Amino acid sequence: MKKVVDLETIKPLFKDGMTIMVGGFLGCGAPERLIDLIMELKLKDLTIIVNDTAFPDRGVGRLVGKGIIKKVICSHVGTNPESKRCLNAGLMEVEFYPQGTLIEKIRAQGFGLGGILTPTGIGTPVEEGKQKISVDGQEFILEPPLRADLAIIKGTKVDEFGNVFYSKSTRNYNPTVAMAADITICEAQELVKVGEIDKDIVHTPGIFVNYIIEGVVA
Amino acid sequence: MINDRKEANIVIAKRVAKELKDGQVVNLGFGVPMMVPQFISKDVNVIFHSENGLVGMGADAPSEAIDKDLTNAGGVYVTIEDYGSYFDSPTSFGIVRGGHLDSTILGAFEVDQEGNLANWAVPGKFIPGMGGAMDLVTGAKQVIVAMFHTAKGSPKILKKCSLPLTGAKVVDKIITEFGLFEVTPQGLILKEIQKDSSLDEIRKYTEADYQVSPQLKRMDDGSPITA
């Protein structure tokens, strides 16, 4: 079971029309080398699940306006003028969820739950068309899980088994998306031997990572 | 009336700062709320939460000491206090929805007398998404709206919000450059007036119904106003 591979090995995993989840928050903690690969492969019709579309020069933001993304499922696009242009021109679709709802939908998939009940959005346009459930007199919105064909994440320190440590605020969505897709590819900022990451500080256990590529130092 | 927007911002931020108590966990929205920390008394330690996954957030990082692994929810490079910590997004929003956040301070397009808040979408205009705002106003123990009293003279404190809501019946306090209102089950109560404003002026620029507190105070120094 050799997880550390070169980019050639993982190229066939990327296909037009697939759904890809991406770690990162406004590009902090995003797998930039894997995003380079998506651009290089000239993929199209992708559905991207991500917190936000970052900035035109960072993270998923670099894919916007290149004819790659058909639809983005996220909480916010306001920091990327390209997103605004593409959405206004009908070149990209968007599905918004409140940030705390989005991450829980992803978590529900990874954790094998049938969905989550959240009070967020009650009495707002977010509840429209959704099932509501009352628990002890309080109303909640039922939000089903979100899955993906592929998850791409970035770890600060990754061992050859796929155990991942994320530095500081780079953790964000990474550990959660790592559990919610059929296949997870981790970009390692620093690749180390098994045993070199203290087991007490592993954020993503290696069993969730299928492939590891060496990234570039941010 | 304060006509200078910068001065109005300072008046609002200074008053918001007084609302924050030692040891409270607080999330600040963009704009005026971001100005609040500079006006918090030195003997009051407020613990700042950032949606992307940290508590104990410090000031913005000086340009010579940027750590690219450490940003706030606006993508700005920041610092962290010694007692701070990092976590993933489910934990970050567990803090918010789970009742572990004492206050959230944010701006608004509209607020109404029932405490409804609209600050994310204007029909017919580009909608950037709600980000974390809906979770924050739903989960925080106290929601403080910090905003200009009017939009170019049009009231923003209304009988009923016309824009899509961010949260229904969520607002606790409204702080503007004119004064401070509390949202109560009995409706809005004007509790404080800024020294350059007046009861007449507030009535003129507020659409909502409200009562004037019998213990009306000056917003600037908390001194009583005798009718």
Side-chain angles (χ1 to χ4, degrees):
Chain A
M1 180 199 52
K2 186 177 174 293
K3 291 185 182 177
V4 181
V5 294
D6 58 16
L7 289 172
E8 285 306 316
T9 310
I10 58 168
K11 277 182 184 174
L13 299 173
F14 291 84
K15 297 180 183 78
D16 291 343
M18 76 188 322
T19 298
I20 304 179
M21 266 177 203
V22 188
F25 193 114
L26 288 176
C28 182
E32 299 288 359
R33 185 68 199 88
L34 289 166
I35 289 165
D36 282 341
L37 182 65
I38 291 173
M39 293 214 279
E40 189 188 316
L41 292 171
K42 297 188 168 57
L43 294 176
K44 54 183 191 295
D45 296 329
L46 296 184
T47 295
I48 298 287
I49 302 173
V50 67
N51 180 60
D52 55 75
T53 57
F55 305 97
D57 61 346
R58 278 188 92 178
V60 159
R62 297 194 288 132
L63 301 175
V64 179
K66 307 269 170 42
I68 294 170
I69 304 176
K70 184 180 77 174
K71 181 179 183 179
V72 60
I73 299 175
C74 66
S75 74
H76 203 269
V77 299
T79 52
N80 192 333
E82 272 298 280
S83 296
K84 182 175 179 178
R85 183 184 70 81
C86 289
L87 291 172
N88 281 339
L91 299 171
M92 186 169 79
E93 297 166 45
V94 69
E95 192 174 310
F96 285 127
Y97 291 100
Q99 216 163 82
T101 299
L102 179 63
I103 194 65
E104 282 296 306
K105 285 168 74 71
I106 298 169
R107 191 185 65 87
Q109 173 66 30
F111 279 61
L113 303 174
I116 54 117
L117 297 178
T118 179
T120 301
I122 290 285
T124 78
V126 164
E127 72 173 20
E128 283 164 19
K130 291 176 185 166
Q131 192 179 341
K132 286 188 275 180
I133 291 174
S134 180
V135 181
D136 289 338
Q138 194 189 344
E139 258 197 332
F140 295 89
I141 296 172
L142 172 66
E143 283 284 1
L146 261 181
R147 65 161 289 281
D149 302 307
L150 196 62
I152 59 173
I153 63 169
K154 186 200 147 179
T156 307
K157 203 177 255 199
V158 183
D159 76 17
E160 289 169 338
F161 184 71
N163 292 310
V164 188
F165 163 76
Y166 309 94
S167 164
K168 304 190 175 79
S169 66
T170 66
R171 201 181 324 172
N172 55 65
Y173 273 57
N174 280 301
T176 315
V177 302
M179 296 173 64
D182 296 348
I183 296 170
T184 295
I185 306 172
C186 179
E187 172 175 327
Q189 183 170 314
E190 184 188 355
L191 184 65
V192 299
K193 298 272 181 231
V194 168
E196 284 186 35
I197 305 174
D198 181 347
K199 290 166 182 56
D200 275 327
I201 65 159
V202 168
H203 296 130
T204 292
I207 58 166
F208 296 115
V209 174
N210 302 99
Y211 299 95
I212 302 158
I213 64 132
E214 285 195 78
V216 285
V217 175
Chain B
M1 188 191 297
I2 301 170
N3 287 311
D4 181 68
R5 288 175 76 90
K6 267 188 193 161
E7 197 188 332
N9 278 334
I10 291 169
V11 162
I12 296 166
K14 272 188 177 170
R15 182 60 190 86
V16 172
K18 282 195 220 166
E19 289 293 306
L20 307 180
K21 308 286 181 263
D22 194 51
Q24 285 190 332
V25 184
V26 174
N27 185 290
L28 301 177
F30 298 108
V32 179
M34 284 287 177
M35 295 172 61
V36 170
Q38 61 186 298
F39 299 114
I40 297 173
S41 165
K42 293 281 173 263
D43 55 353
V44 172
N45 183 43
V46 175
I47 302 157
F48 290 107
H49 165 266
S50 187
E51 297 96 295
N52 57 322
L54 54 144
V55 290
M57 181 171 62
D60 292 358
S63 56
E64 69 278 9
I66 280 172
D67 182 337
K68 288 197 168 179
D69 288 348
L70 182 46
T71 62
N72 67 11
V76 175
Y77 297 113
V78 291
T79 57
I80 190 161
E81 304 290 347
D82 287 342
Y83 58 78
S85 58
Y86 307 109
F87 34 79
D88 61 6
S89 290
T91 305
S92 189
F93 281 89
I95 289 170
V96 173
R97 280 187 317 261
H100 314 287
L101 188 68
D102 291 297
S103 287
T104 187
I105 324 284
L106 27 73
F109 299 149
E110 295 175 346
V111 194
D112 70 26
Q113 61 198 40
E114 291 183 353
N116 296 313
L117 166 70
N119 77 350
W120 75 284
V122 179
K125 285 195 177 175
F126 177 70
I127 296 172
M130 67 290 278
M134 286 192 178
D135 297 286
L136 285 162
V137 300
T138 302
K141 287 183 201 162
Q142 178 174 235
V143 176
I144 299 174
V145 168
M147 65 172 194
F148 289 128
H149 201 91
T150 68
K152 293 174 184 161
S154 299
K156 293 173 73 177
I157 305 175
L158 308 174
K159 290 183 194 295
K160 191 139 197 75
C161 287
S162 65
L163 296 171
L165 295 186
T166 308
K169 297 181 180 171
V170 293
V171 176
D172 296 291
K173 282 178 185 158
I174 307 164
I175 297 175
T176 77
E177 75 278 30
F178 284 20
L180 181 150
F181 292 87
E182 262 182 36
V183 185
T184 76
Q186 288 75 43
L188 280 186
I189 299 177
L190 177 66
K191 306 272 285 199
E192 298 179 18
I193 302 184
Q194 202 275 332
K195 66 175 166 54
D196 298 315
S197 190
S198 66
L199 279 175
D200 286 347
E201 185 182 72
I202 293 177
R203 183 64 275 169
K204 184 180 168 193
Y205 289 108
T206 307
E207 186 204 88
D209 296 326
Y210 59 86
Q211 298 167 4
V212 177
S213 169
Q215 286 92 38
L216 194 64
K217 290 175 183 168
R218 281 266 171 253
M219 187 164 90
D220 318 80
D221 60 5
S223 63
I225 298 173
T226 44

